[in-house]
Amino acid sequence: DALPICYYKQNYEDLRNAFGDDTRAYYTHYMSHGLSEGRVADRLLEDQEDVPLSLSAEVSADQRAVVVRASGGVLSSASSVFFPVWSEAGGQDDVVWYAAEFSGGAWTATVPVPAHASAGAYSAHCYAVVGGSQRGVGGTSFSIDAPSASVAVAEDAGAGAFEVTVSGVSSPSGVSHVDVPVWSEAGGQDDLVWYRAARQADGTYRVRVSMADHGWSTGAYNAHVYVMAGNGVYAGVAAA
């Protein structure tokens, strides 16, 4: 079939600047370079601007991965698509550009949550390379839940100790471990000790704290709880 050079010429300013009205040059360029670059010659790109762009981010049930998917609009003429993804916590300090693959009429990429390891809101933008030029075409968002738990402290004054029990530990991605930093109010945090809580048969986590490990300091003590979720999210969830 004859190549509609008028479309190819109108679609790409760089080609117009290079070839002017040389029809043969447009045809030669398309056959030798344009086709492999994903350039469009059978229709006007501007006609696709009115086609709705579909962009979504689907979080897996265990919140360990997110599938970002885009289709429609200029994406049908894109040679490549990228999804920059980052968590709102800390700005864009964890931004990663994911290269999408085209299959079944859509561009998709899988985002591993441990690569960002943050709870809360995330942004996912979409950039497409069309006709050799990269452009932003849209954005969406999703969220990852922080783990949760509650804590209780029981004193054993006669033994100079107390027991910290962490219950209701929950995370969609499962729980890797539970940490309990403890310190006395006297002297600030100069006696801070981080304890790894032991999981009990009833599903709670427990730490036994001896005052001897804190210089036999008297008065008030602080015990905080941090949970490492299965998707790499590490968060403070409770305090006593």
Side-chain angles (χ1 to χ4, degrees):
D1 295 337
L3 181 71
I5 293 301
C6 59
Y7 292 159
Y8 196 50
K9 176 181 178 181
Q10 188 169 337
N11 282 341
Y12 302 102
E13 182 180 3
D14 61 330
L15 300 186
R16 293 196 300 274
N17 292 336
F19 305 139
D21 294 322
D22 187 344
T23 300
R24 184 176 182 81
Y26 286 100
Y27 179 83
T28 301
H29 180 274
Y30 180 77
M31 298 306 295
S32 60
H33 300 289
L35 189 60
S36 62
E37 292 174 359
R39 296 201 186 221
V40 177
D42 61 351
R43 61 192 181 281
L44 289 177
L45 289 178
E46 64 186 31
D47 291 341
Q48 295 177 309
E49 299 295 340
D50 294 331
V51 179
L53 174 70
S54 173
L55 179 59
S56 64
E58 182 179 353
V59 182
S60 64
D62 62 6
Q63 297 198 0
R64 291 173 180 257
V66 180
V67 176
V68 183
R69 180 177 290 104
S71 62
V74 298
L75 296 184
S76 60
S77 301
S79 57
S80 57
V81 170
F82 299 91
F83 299 123
V85 176
W86 67 94
S87 61
E88 294 296 332
Q92 291 188 331
D93 61 350
D94 64 325
V95 64
V96 177
W97 285 68
Y98 296 94
E101 294 185 356
F102 186 77
S103 179
W107 293 89
T108 63
T110 299
V111 177
V113 174
H116 301 270
S118 290
Y122 280 72
S123 292
H125 287 187
C126 180
Y127 283 78
V129 177
V130 179
S133 299
Q134 180 172 279
R135 68 172 89 171
V137 296
T140 188
S141 61
F142 61 91
S143 64
I144 297 297
D145 296 328
S148 60
S150 58
V151 61
V153 177
E155 296 184 24
D156 187 351
F162 56 90
E163 199 164 76
V164 180
T165 300
V166 183
S167 60
V169 183
S170 177
S171 168
S173 61
V175 176
S176 174
H177 60 263
V178 175
D179 294 326
V180 182
V182 176
W183 68 97
S184 63
E185 289 288 345
Q189 291 188 331
D190 60 351
D191 62 329
L192 173 67
V193 177
W194 283 75
Y195 298 92
R196 177 63 52 84
R199 192 177 190 278
Q200 307 300 301
D202 62 0
T204 63
Y205 289 77
R206 195 167 297 163
V207 168
R208 185 171 177 81
V209 179
S210 172
M211 293 175 64
D213 294 328
H214 297 269
W216 294 102
S217 181
T218 58
Y221 277 73
N222 293 287
H224 289 190
V225 177
Y226 286 79
V227 174
M228 173 63 81
N231 59 5
V233 173
Y234 190 60
V237 298

